[in-house]
Amino acid sequence: ATYGSTAEAFSSIPFIDTRAVVPSLSSPSWPFHLPTKQRRAAAVSESLSNKSHTRLYNLLDAMGEMLRGPKLDREENLPYHPPFCEESSICEDKVRTFAIKERPISFTGEDFDIVEITDNQNTDFVRVRGAMLHLPGKDKMRVKSSTTGQSLVTMDRVLIAATPSYDLYRDVDGTKIGWMEKKLISFMDTFDIYMEGKGGFGVTGLFKPTPAYRIEGDFFDRNFCFRNEQGKVVARANMDGWIQFDGMNHYQVQVAEGMDAHLVLACVCCIDEEFDEEHKKRKEERKRKEEED
């Protein structure tokens, strides 16, 4: 047969069922009643649309992962026992979320109120209070229960150390659990948490045991995570709010199942104070240079 045009040739070719090629064509809503050319055009259009939607969903998923941070994994083996508080430290069946609010008016500059906001609740959890006098042996913060007032954790700043360091005490029995220190040699700001009695020595980390937890991330924007010895993310913290001031920072903190919430919250408060002090020193240095010029 002779065909008048290419279009007529394509339109007269018997219809080939493309359901095996494009799975969505098997949908009951697929327009088999349409002429062949229109069916083929619809197949191409739907295929492109599906690809476009897939790319969009993948992009949104990636953006959501960046905003939320890495996925939390359950802490299977807490490196000390008992936890800081038997009743409230650990939740075994769900991820917990907390809001840390730095008090705008404080006599110590190191006061935080922390509430639990898991499942849309708004329950006072703990208070963090600094020492009234910054004297040798007195520069410390304490985590206290909001309900009972009992002291649970003491973060005692080490006066003589190569890098900022805090000793961590379980106040229920006065036991030193370990310490947190800023890593001296690192490509990015990193804090390590070591357990007491694990051995090792040195200031660079070359002769120290593997830290029980490593805290790393974007400290400029105050978004960081806690990784255990196996490299699993067991907690994360991010600054909550677009506008922040050194004296009034707010955070959201998520703690995985099996992880000690009091340890995480205590360390976040210490890190916040450390960076506030660094910012203060930089401002004083800039001011001094401007006055000298």
Side-chain angles (χ1 to χ4, degrees):
T2 303
Y3 301 101
S5 65
T6 305
E8 292 177 355
F10 277 108
S11 64
S12 60
I13 295 176
F15 174 70
I16 300 175
D17 191 350
T18 57
R19 284 175 288 181
V21 180
V22 184
S24 60
L25 297 186
S26 60
S27 170
S29 61
W30 178 250
F32 287 103
H33 63 283
L34 295 177
T36 304
K37 287 193 295 183
Q38 295 183 26
R39 284 199 296 252
R40 288 172 181 161
V44 173
S45 176
E46 182 170 342
S47 176
L48 293 175
S49 176
N50 288 339
K51 291 179 180 179
S52 177
H53 288 168
T54 301
R55 293 193 190 100
L56 177 61
Y57 294 147
N58 290 341
L59 176 61
L60 293 177
D61 288 343
M63 290 175 62
E65 185 67 20
M66 287 189 296
L67 294 174
R68 292 190 302 269
K71 179 181 177 295
L72 295 183
D73 290 308
R74 181 185 183 87
E75 175 56 280
E76 300 289 354
N77 186 24
L78 195 70
Y80 54 91
H81 183 81
F84 285 98
C85 180
E86 292 278 11
E87 292 77 22
S88 60
S89 276
I90 295 175
C91 183
E92 296 290 353
D93 59 354
K94 62 183 175 182
V95 173
R96 304 168 77 185
T97 305
F98 301 89
I100 300 179
K101 303 176 183 179
E102 190 168 8
R103 293 171 66 91
I105 300 176
S106 169
F107 293 105
T108 68
E110 301 171 340
D111 293 349
F112 301 85
D113 293 328
I114 302 176
V115 298
E116 183 169 4
I117 56 175
T118 308
D119 297 332
N120 297 319
Q121 62 177 303
N122 188 17
T123 306
D124 291 338
F125 188 65
V126 294
R127 302 188 302 268
V128 179
R129 297 293 182 262
M132 293 295 293
L133 297 176
H134 292 270
L135 299 174
K138 298 294 184 181
D139 193 4
K140 60 182 66 176
M141 292 185 285
R142 284 189 170 89
V143 178
K144 298 183 178 181
S145 170
S146 295
T147 55
T148 66
Q150 180 183 19
S151 184
L152 304 173
V153 189
T154 293
M155 301 90 83
D156 193 355
R157 183 164 183 171
V158 180
L159 297 178
I160 302 176
T163 61
S165 303
Y166 289 84
D167 289 335
L168 304 171
Y169 292 89
R170 183 174 56 214
D171 289 345
V172 174
D173 54 13
T175 302
K176 182 181 176 183
I177 297 299
W179 71 95
M180 182 187 77
E181 65 178 39
K182 189 174 183 181
K183 193 172 179 62
L184 181 62
I185 300 176
S186 178
F187 292 107
M188 64 178 67
D189 287 326
T190 303
F191 291 82
D192 289 332
I193 302 175
Y194 294 94
M195 294 293 103
E196 187 74 3
K198 295 294 184 180
F201 62 94
V203 296
T204 64
L206 297 176
F207 304 103
K208 289 182 178 177
T210 303
Y213 297 101
R214 173 155 289 173
I215 309 170
E216 57 188 3
D218 182 0
F219 288 98
F220 180 79
D221 289 328
R222 311 288 178 94
N223 297 316
F224 45 91
C225 64
F226 290 64
R227 294 183 182 273
N228 63 12
E229 194 170 343
Q230 292 73 40
K232 296 182 178 180
V233 178
V234 293
R236 59 171 174 249
N238 65 279
M239 188 171 281
D240 185 15
W242 293 99
I243 301 176
Q244 298 281 343
F245 303 95
D246 283 348
M248 196 173 62
N249 292 324
H250 292 175
Y251 295 87
Q252 268 200 27
V253 179
Q254 288 188 303
V255 181
E257 304 94 321
M259 182 60 181
D260 193 328
H262 292 107
L263 174 66
V264 174
L265 298 171
C267 291
V268 172
C269 292
C270 290
I271 291 172
D272 177 80
E273 287 305 307
E274 201 54 50
F275 280 103
D276 285 352
E277 288 190 13
E278 289 186 6
H279 291 171
K280 183 179 179 180
K281 290 179 181 178
R282 292 194 191 103
K283 290 178 182 178
E284 292 176 350
E285 291 177 359
R286 285 197 299 267
K287 185 178 180 180
R288 187 174 60 253
K289 290 180 180 179
E290 291 174 357
E291 291 176 351
E292 291 175 355
D293 294 340

